Amino acid sequence: MTRIGVLALQGAFIEHLKILSTVGAEGVEVRLPQDLTGLSGLIIPGGESTTVGKLAVTYGLIGPIREMAQHGKVIWGTCAGLILMARTVEGVEQPLLGMMDLVVRRNAFGRQVESFEADISVPVLGAVSEPEEKNHPFHAVFIRAPLIASVGDAVQILSRLSDGSIVAARDGNLLATAFHPELTGDTRFHRYFLQMVAEREEASRDT
Ligand code: GLN
């Protein structure tokens, strides 16, 4: 079975582990560099990005996760995980993995609407949708969410809110969502991630 690591330093990791078990993958809690051995992919969950970044530095995880990305392993950051993956976060200094060509704005939706939900269109999910899910919007839960202020040329924008804010993007083997797909019953994003993992494993077998 495909083994997927979920960074388990702080935040919403249990929810990701639960969903992975329903979509045919084995979720593995990652707290130390040795936990990354033998994984086919990694999820960096939501939480508080400064805390997670500091803990990742303390436990020596920054270098090994960057190496995983450089080796083409599929890595997905949700919310705080997206912040950690970004190359630049506007206006703040905090430890980052800094491996995805994105500029991110933390807590972008202001205090009065710290949390909200929106039905968004994510065309790439069509490829993993069952017939009854086809053309359904994805119900996205935003919790003190960041937005992606800009992306590099190679980055594919996967979804925007109706005001144009970028909330999901892919850069080759790296995936980022500003919202929390693990908090709804819709498993399409997890299936899309596993499809990225399967494609990458097939490509590395062929070379
Ligand atoms: N506001 C958090 C941060 O900036 C992210 C929130 C989340 O992951 N739900 O780190």
Side-chain angles (χ1 to χ4, degrees):
M1 201 188 282
T2 310
R3 282 166 58 88
I4 302 295
V6 182
L7 194 64
L9 300 176
Q10 187 257 354
F13 58 91
I14 293 190
E15 292 79 0
H16 279 291
L17 291 165
K18 280 190 191 146
I19 294 204
L20 286 170
S21 69
T22 69
V23 292
E26 183 192 350
V28 178
E29 293 182 19
V30 171
R31 293 196 176 81
L32 293 169
Q34 56 263 36
D35 300 332
L36 297 168
T37 310
L39 297 180
S40 298
L42 178 69
I43 297 176
I44 305 175
E48 210 287 319
S49 60
T50 311
T51 307
V52 178
K54 284 183 184 159
L55 290 170
V57 171
T58 304
Y59 291 112
L61 282 160
I62 299 279
I65 293 175
R66 281 188 187 143
E67 246 165 65
M68 249 183 114
Q70 276 154 13
H71 287 132
K73 293 271 166 136
V74 176
I75 304 185
W76 174 21
T78 58
C79 203
L82 171 155
I83 296 167
L84 288 163
M85 284 180 48
R87 197 133 15 241
T88 311
V89 177
E90 287 181 346
V92 275
E93 284 294 318
Q94 64 184 97
L96 296 175
L97 292 160
M99 50 199 198
M100 200 169 170
D101 200 2
L102 309 174
V103 177
V104 164
R105 190 171 307 152
R106 279 182 71 181
N107 304 325
F109 299 97
R111 277 189 172 275
Q112 70 286 13
V113 278
E114 277 164 8
S115 304
F116 64 98
E117 303 186 11
D119 283 332
I120 59 173
S121 157
V122 191
V124 293
L125 296 182
V128 292
S129 291
E130 301 292 338
E132 66 276 13
E133 296 170 322
K134 283 268 186 235
N135 304 320
H136 275 210
F138 192 86
H139 190 71
V141 180
F142 294 83
I143 303 170
R144 279 187 70 86
L147 67 72
I148 300 171
S150 63
V151 301
D153 289 344
V155 177
Q156 184 188 3
I157 293 171
L158 303 185
S159 188
R160 292 178 187 265
L161 294 179
S162 51
D163 69 359
S165 306
I166 305 168
V167 292
R170 175 174 174 179
D171 184 2
N173 55 316
L174 305 177
L175 176 67
T177 53
F179 46 90
H180 285 259
E182 77 286 6
L183 296 182
T184 61
D186 191 338
T187 60
R188 280 179 292 171
F189 252 104
H190 288 79
R191 285 182 266 148
Y192 178 70
F193 167 76
L194 289 178
Q195 188 190 62
M196 285 174 65
V197 171
E199 280 165 9
R200 131 91 205 177
E201 305 236 299
E202 217 165 279
S204 57
R205 256 197 307 275
D206 292 345
T207 50

